């Protein structure tokens, strides 16, 4: 089994994964329905934010504004760490 999705906090992808997870958990009513997995790809790291059905709207927001804000934060982290991160929201 790979530890890619469960990166340690000392690993940069682990810090970013924990950041996205804590932000998403703050947005939903039931934080237990949120999980984030990191997958290293050739072009960088993809974070897969998984949210249970009825809570996904809270993470996406009206007209995708909340999702866009999460991606903006991720872009700022990408610049700071000089590594490419992408966010995929999955139901």
């Amino acid at each position: 089994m790979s530890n890619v999705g469960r990166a340690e906090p000392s690993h940069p992808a682990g810090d970013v994964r924990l950041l996205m997870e804590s932000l998403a958990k703050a947005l939903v009513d039931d934080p237990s329905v949120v999980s984030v997995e990191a997958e290293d790809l050739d072009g960088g790291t993809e974070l897969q934010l998984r949210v249970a059905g009825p809570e996904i709207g809270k993470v996406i927001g009206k007209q995708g504004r909340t999702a866009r804000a999460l991606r903006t934060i991720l872009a700022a982290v990408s610049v700071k760490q000089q590594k490419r991160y992408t966010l995929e929201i999955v139901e």
Side-chain angles (χ1 to χ4, degrees), residues 55-68 89:
E55 301 279 15
I56 198 161
K58 293 177 182 163
V59 173
I60 294 173
K62 289 184 180 179
Q63 297 180 352
R65 287 185 181 141
T66 305
R68 192 171 22 244
I89 299 174

Side-chain angles (χ1 to χ4, degrees), residues 19-20 23 27 49 58-77 87 89:
L19 172 66
M20 285 294 119
L23 288 172
L27 293 170
L49 171 60
K58 293 177 182 163
V59 173
I60 294 173
K62 289 184 180 179
Q63 297 180 352
R65 287 185 181 141
T66 305
R68 192 171 22 244
L70 290 171
R71 288 187 174 110
T72 300
I73 293 169
L74 201 55
V77 171
L87 180 66
I89 299 174

